[in-house]
């Protein structure tokens, strides 16, 4: 193991770190959005849609992420083209960016876990809280935004932290469809200077560091929310 | 004109190499369970130094993408062992995959098993001790039967993760289901890529459902060892 190479690799990988984190944040936010929709569909038992959600969850329980990414990679352009043709738009989806495909595939995968987290955290708010809010004259919407959501958020926060890390790790599969993130960059550097172990160790340490920081931040944020609620 | 292979052809081509995926999966599941149990013992018995090492390993395997772990093991083991005079310069990709997945699965299971062990009430230990059980008798007759039903759901989830992650070993060049799928997709000039990967997905879905079924069967078998807690005492 060569210290100088480690340092060079570190400097080489560093520029893609903000990009990787930004990609992870986008996917994370999208997955919360889709997860909330899924949770609402399950909670209100919306016909047809609930069957689709349940089937989709079963599919994802069994399908490895990389297989899903490949399916999306090869089928998404066709699907988008079908719809643009239907609406007679002149958009050619064949040169759709692999980044978009990765975002769609990973968001959908993580959202099915997020749906469970969100459902569980809203169910954990006791009914007495809602009754108390209503008896104090809160409208249902006010009760939802001011009483229920803050408490559900405290419950969901540790899960959100680990979901973010799942997203970070999942993006590392983007190299299969030419998206460049920390791991893909490490791989490129390794094949250019043939110091494979060093590049992968540096990348691993970066992921590890990010994980430690995220866990610290969620813990801090959680204790702050707890003291307020 | 290249004829695209039919669905039946693709399925049979993929199943020809399914044994490699299953081989890696089963060996790393068994070794990972052993490693996880061993690491849990270290943590529970509070053995200094080894305990810190276990915590680091478990944190590492859970924080770093499995694809990097695979590559690190693949490239790092031969030079590491050559320091001790062991020459494995031609370490096969299959062996590297098994080592990496075993470490990953073991690290993951340590968390699951530790929580399950902690769930056994302290009174159970004291009762067994006061009956004059030896530590080994206590473990196998009193503690283990209670750890198993608590740990089973977590073990099932760990198995699902392991099954999903075996799909990545083709990145090291292992000719497993995914490796074969890529070859088929490339060979037919992109005519049936979606079809190939949907078939791969179905194969993996069948494997995960079999594993889920196995875990559920074991849960049913061991349900009688699960003590009622204060919450469901009268109910069951």
């Amino acid at each position: 193991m060569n210290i100088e190479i480690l340092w060079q690799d570190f400097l080489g990988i560093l520029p893609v770190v903000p990009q990787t984190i930004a990609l992870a944040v986008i996917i994370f936010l999208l997955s919360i959005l889709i997860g909330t929709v899924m949770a609402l569909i399950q909670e209100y038992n919306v016909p047809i849609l609930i069957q689709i959600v349940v089937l989709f969850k079963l599919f994802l329980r069994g399908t490895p992420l990389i297989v899903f990414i490949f399916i999306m990679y090869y089928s998404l352009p066709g699907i988008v083209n079908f719809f643009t043709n239907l609406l007679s738009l002149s958009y050619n989806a064949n040169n759709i960016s692999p980044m978009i495909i990765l975002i769609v595939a990973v968001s959908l995968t993580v959202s099915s876990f997020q749906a469970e987290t969100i459902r569980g955290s809203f169910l954990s708010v006791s009914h007495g809280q809602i009754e108390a809010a209503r008896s104090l004259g809160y409208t249902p919407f006010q009760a939802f935004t001011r009483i229920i959501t803050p408490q559900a958020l405290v419950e969901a926060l540790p899960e959100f932290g680990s979901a973010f890390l799942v997203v970070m790790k999942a993006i590392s599969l983007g190299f299969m469809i030419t998206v460049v993130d920390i791991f893909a960059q490490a791989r490129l550097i390794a094949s250019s200077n043939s110091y494979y172990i060093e590049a992968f160790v540096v990348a691993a340490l970066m992921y590890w560091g990010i994980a430690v920081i995220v866990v610290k931040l969620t813990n801090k944020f959680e204790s702050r929310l707890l003291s307020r609620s | 004109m290249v004829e695209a292979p039919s669905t039946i052809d693709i399925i049979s081509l993929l199943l020809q190499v399914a044994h490699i995926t299953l081989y890696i999966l089963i060996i790393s599941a068994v070794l990972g369970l052993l490693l996880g149990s061993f690491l849990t013992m270290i943590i529970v018995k509070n053995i200094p130094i080894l305990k810190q090492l276990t915590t680091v390993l478990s944190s590492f395997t859970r924080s770093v993408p499995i694809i990097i772990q695979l590559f690190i093991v693949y490239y790092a083991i031969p030079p590491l062992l050559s320091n001790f005079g062991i020459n494995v310069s031609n370490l096969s990709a299959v062996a590297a995959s098994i080592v990496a997945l075993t470490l990953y699965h073991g690290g993951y299971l340590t968390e699951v098993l530790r929580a399950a062990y902690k769930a056994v009430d302290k009174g159970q230990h004291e009762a067994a001790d006061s009956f004059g059980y030896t530590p080994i008798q206590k473990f196998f007759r009193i503690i283990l039967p209670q750890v198993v039903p608590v740990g089973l759901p977590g073990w099932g989830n760990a198995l699902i993760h392991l099954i999903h992650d075996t799909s990545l070993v083709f990145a090291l060049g292992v000719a497993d289901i995914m490796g074969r799928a890529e070859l088929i997709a490339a060979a037919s000039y992109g005519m049936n890529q979606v079809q190939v990967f949907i078939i791969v997905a179905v194969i993996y879905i069948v494997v995960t459902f079999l594993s889920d079924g196995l875990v559920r069967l074991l849960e049913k078998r061991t349900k009688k060892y699960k003590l009622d807690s204060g919450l469901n005492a009268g109910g069951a």
Side-chain angles (χ1 to χ4, degrees), chain A:
Chain A
M1 196 88 68
N2 187 327
I3 298 294
E4 206 171 305
I5 299 288
L6 283 178
W7 179 243
Q8 269 179 25
D9 285 350
F10 177 75
L11 292 181
I13 297 173
L14 205 56
V16 297
V17 172
Q19 184 182 328
T20 309
I21 293 178
L23 191 60
V25 170
I26 293 173
I27 293 176
F28 176 70
L29 293 177
L30 273 177
S31 72
I32 290 184
L33 207 71
I34 307 171
T36 311
V37 173
M38 281 184 177
L40 288 175
I41 289 172
Q42 284 197 298
E43 211 42 46
Y44 291 103
N45 237 323
V46 185
I48 304 175
L49 287 181
I50 190 167
Q51 276 85 357
I52 294 176
V53 168
V54 169
L55 214 72
F56 183 65
K57 278 187 173 172
L58 273 181
F59 174 78
L60 282 185
R61 171 104 176 144
T63 310
L65 178 59
I66 185 64
V67 178
F68 188 53
I69 289 178
F70 275 133
I71 291 175
M72 278 294 173
Y73 184 62
Y74 292 123
S75 69
L76 200 61
I79 295 170
V80 174
N81 271 340
F82 174 78
F83 282 107
T84 49
N85 283 342
L86 214 60
L87 303 168
S88 56
L89 295 170
S90 61
Y91 174 73
N92 184 5
N94 285 330
N95 42 28
I96 196 169
S97 146
M99 181 95 78
I100 303 284
I101 291 166
L102 186 70
I103 291 176
V104 172
V106 179
S107 312
L108 283 175
T109 307
V110 180
S111 65
S112 76
F113 298 99
Q114 299 280 43
E116 288 305 310
T117 307
I118 292 166
R119 228 158 70 95
S121 59
F122 275 108
L123 289 178
S124 76
V125 179
S126 79
H127 194 66
Q129 295 284 330
I130 303 166
E131 283 173 344
R134 296 287 286 133
S135 68
L136 285 173
Y138 281 70
T139 66
F141 182 72
Q142 280 176 331
F144 181 77
T145 52
R146 299 194 191 165
I147 309 294
I148 303 172
T149 306
Q151 294 184 51
L153 201 60
V154 175
E155 202 64 40
L157 215 76
E159 293 293 321
F160 278 164
S162 58
F164 181 77
L165 294 177
V166 169
V167 173
M168 277 295 297
K169 289 191 279 179
I171 303 175
S172 69
L173 296 181
F175 82 99
M176 299 266 188
I177 56 170
T178 71
V179 177
V180 175
D181 76 324
I182 296 177
F183 171 66
Q185 181 75 5
R187 213 162 153 263
L188 290 176
I189 290 176
S191 55
S192 73
N193 65 8
S194 341
Y195 285 99
Y196 285 91
I197 306 171
E198 281 84 352
F200 292 133
V201 166
V202 169
L205 290 178
M206 280 180 169
Y207 279 106
W208 205 355
I210 292 171
V212 170
I213 293 171
V214 168
V215 170
K216 282 250 158 68
L217 281 180
T218 44
N219 284 348
K220 212 168 146 188
F221 202 60
E222 198 191 351
S223 54
R224 256 200 12 221
L225 275 179
L226 265 180
S227 64
R228 262 202 290 172
S229 63

Side-chain angles (χ1 to χ4, degrees), chain A residues 61-62 64 66 74 169 197 208, chain B residues 59 62 164 167 193 208 212:
Chain A
R61 171 104 176 144
I66 185 64
Y74 292 123
K169 289 191 279 179
I197 306 171
W208 205 355
Chain B
S59 158
R62 280 178 304 125
H164 284 194
S167 66
Q193 291 145 329
T208 35
D212 270 348

Side-chain angles (χ1 to χ4, degrees), chain B residues 146-170:
Chain B
Q146 297 184 59
V147 168
V148 171
V150 180
L152 269 175
W155 181 64
N157 277 334
L159 267 187
I160 302 291
H161 280 287
L162 184 68
I163 293 169
H164 284 194
D165 290 336
T166 46
S167 66
L168 295 175
V169 298
F170 80 103

Side-chain angles (χ1 to χ4, degrees), chain B residues 3-231:
Chain B
E3 195 72 33
S6 70
T7 307
I8 305 289
D9 289 341
I10 296 174
I11 294 175
S12 72
L13 278 171
L14 290 175
L15 288 182
Q16 273 170 18
V17 289
H19 66 278
I20 298 177
T21 304
L22 283 178
Y23 172 75
I24 295 176
L25 175 66
I26 291 171
I27 298 211
S28 22
V30 171
L31 292 180
L33 183 60
L34 290 177
L35 179 69
S37 316
F38 179 67
L39 295 179
T40 309
M41 196 191 79
I42 289 176
I43 290 191
V44 168
K45 296 276 171 222
N46 223 335
I47 302 171
I49 305 174
L50 283 181
K51 190 190 171 188
Q52 277 78 2
L53 285 177
T54 303
T55 316
V56 170
L57 176 77
S58 160
S59 158
F60 181 84
T61 51
R62 280 178 304 125
S63 310
V64 175
I66 178 73
I67 186 89
I68 297 191
Q69 297 179 37
L70 282 169
F71 275 102
I72 288 182
V73 169
Y74 186 51
Y75 287 111
I77 283 195
L80 206 68
L81 287 183
S82 71
N83 287 343
F84 302 101
I86 306 167
N87 184 18
V88 280
S89 54
N90 48 6
L91 177 75
S92 79
V94 173
S97 312
I98 290 176
V99 173
L101 289 173
T102 300
L103 287 174
Y104 166 78
H105 193 52
Y108 190 105
L109 276 180
T110 310
E111 291 299 309
V112 174
L113 295 176
R114 194 180 53 128
Y117 184 87
K118 288 268 156 73
V120 176
D121 192 58
K122 224 175 133 198
Q124 297 286 325
H125 287 265
E126 287 163 0
D129 286 338
S130 65
F131 272 120
Y133 279 66
T134 67
I136 291 177
Q137 280 178 328
K138 181 178 86 173
F139 179 74
F140 282 104
R141 299 198 191 164
I142 310 292
I143 309 301
L144 190 62
Q146 297 184 59
V147 168
V148 171
V150 180
L152 269 175
W155 181 64
N157 277 334
L159 267 187
I160 302 291
H161 280 287
L162 184 68
I163 293 169
H164 284 194
D165 290 336
T166 46
S167 66
L168 295 175
V169 298
F170 80 103
L172 297 184
V174 178
D176 70 335
I177 294 179
M178 279 299 285
R180 181 60 70 86
E182 277 226 301
L183 283 181
I184 301 172
S188 53
Y189 300 98
M191 276 186 282
N192 47 13
Q193 291 145 329
V194 182
Q195 189 191 3
V196 171
F197 286 106
I198 286 180
I199 294 170
V200 174
V202 171
I203 294 175
Y204 272 101
I205 287 172
V206 170
V207 177
T208 35
F209 284 2
L210 285 178
S211 137
D212 270 348
L214 171 77
V215 172
R216 221 166 296 137
L217 188 80
L218 289 174
E219 273 180 44
K220 226 184 237 167
R221 284 273 174 86
T222 56
K223 214 168 117 196
K224 59 182 174 200
Y225 297 119
K226 202 168 183 174
L227 290 185
D228 292 335
S229 71
L231 285 172

